[in-house]
Amino acid sequence: MASTVTSRPGYGQLLRTRGAWTFLLPGFAARQPFAMLTISIVLLVQHTTGSYGAAGAAAAVTGVSMALFAPYSGRLADRYGQRAVLIPGVLLHTLSGLTLTSLALAHAPLWALFAAAVPTGASVPQVGPMVRARWGVKLQGSPLMTTAAAFESVTDELTFVFGPLLATALCTTVAPAAGLLTEAALTLLGGLLFAAQKSTQPAIAVAVAGHARVERASALHVPGVRVLIVAFLGIGSVFGGMQVSLAAFTESIGEPGLNGVLYGVFAAGNMLSGIVFGAVAWKTAPQRRLVVGYGALALVASGLWAAHSVLVLAGLGLLVGMCIAPALITGYTLVESLVPAGARTEAFTWLTGAVALGQAAAVTIAGQLEDRFWGGAGFLVPMGGTVLAAVTLVALRSRLVARPRSRTVARGVGHRVPVTVD
């Protein structure tokens, strides 16, 4: 293994980048709600309806809505600036989240919860992709770019450590609605603080005279991005399946308080492996690392459904978490080589949306399995999602190799000049 890694510019050097902390701290606060939203909805709706199927369906509507609208949010941010998208977005999300909470507490019919879940998901601020785009501005041409990609993936893992733990603790010890209310408040505060950092947001591209009608191609036109979307759908199936299934498993054994602990073990494995994986530079090609690492993820996730004790489930959850971070880091790193700079925010939002969509599908299916079969049957969902994605990666791995870019890859880039956003 020693021959496959070398040292790379470290996290310390990255964090000393001038102006980085002005967007990192509010960015961390603003992205925290993303990891709280699904589990907060699941716990609140399950409490008010008594059904994991209904809870999973409500959370799924939110996730699908986010997945569908997130790429358009990214394109708008690339075109008009992050601040112009963030401010109305966080205001809408806060209002929608409060409406969803009120309807759930009033025992409104499921269709009303779905109606409120649509704008709640559509308005989730895409802060993670926006932070990655800001690193691109700060570190253009620097070897620290790869380190930044790893750092951001580790930060995402941190949110999935603290977010579900915080939401679960609030919902189970304070009030069933406390998780969703806190999520809305953090979104508003963190989002507005992040939007206020105007000096570090990327410049927008404005068409020069004679080329006003030229439009930039979507990141979805890049074949490798479509393959990565499938991989991230599989990762989303792990997050969604684990959230519902752990809650159902711990309730079935009469220890609901262990839900947060078990999910914390899973998320901690995710975070710790991300820190280690991001601290080295791998000589192995990233597409090969992704295929091998994803195979390991599918293998470990396939054993979750057979776990019948807390200790075994904790151990398997730790291993699953340790396999997720390398896949996420490698996937986001591949975007840097596959996608033109003018479409990367959109590309990142496609991947973020894919995780949300996979999570949404997983909580729906896992919820139905938990309602109809044994406690823990929902663990079949992470197995199915990761195995299908692994097969796709193996079959289409050649599309993850970056090819020389022509001026037509991102139509209009050559006709646009960057303009600083006020």
Side-chain angles (χ1 to χ4, degrees), residues 319-339:
L319 291 176
V320 171
M322 291 176 67
C323 291
I324 284 180
L328 284 172
I329 291 172
T330 307
Y332 280 123
T333 302
L334 280 167
V335 169
E336 296 292 332
S337 61
L338 293 172
V339 182

Side-chain angles (χ1 to χ4, degrees), residues 37 41 57-69 92-93 96-97 100 103 110-124:
L37 183 60
I41 293 175
V61 171
T62 306
V64 170
S65 179
M66 196 207 87
L68 293 176
F69 282 91
L92 175 60
H93 183 77
S96 302
L100 178 58
L103 290 171
L110 197 56
W111 66 262
L113 299 183
F114 290 169
V118 171
T120 301
S123 57
V124 171

Side-chain angles (χ1 to χ4, degrees), residues 222-228 287 334 338 392-403:
V222 179
V225 171
R226 298 196 292 270
V227 177
L228 290 175
Q287 59 270 20
L334 280 167
L338 293 172
T392 302
L393 279 176
V394 171
L396 302 178
R397 61 189 181 277
S398 62
R399 299 189 181 186
L400 298 174
V401 179
R403 290 173 172 80

Side-chain angles (χ1 to χ4, degrees), residues 204-214 412-419:
I204 61 175
V206 177
V208 298
H211 298 285
R213 295 194 170 196
V214 179
V413 171
H415 301 302
R416 294 176 182 263
V417 294
V419 176

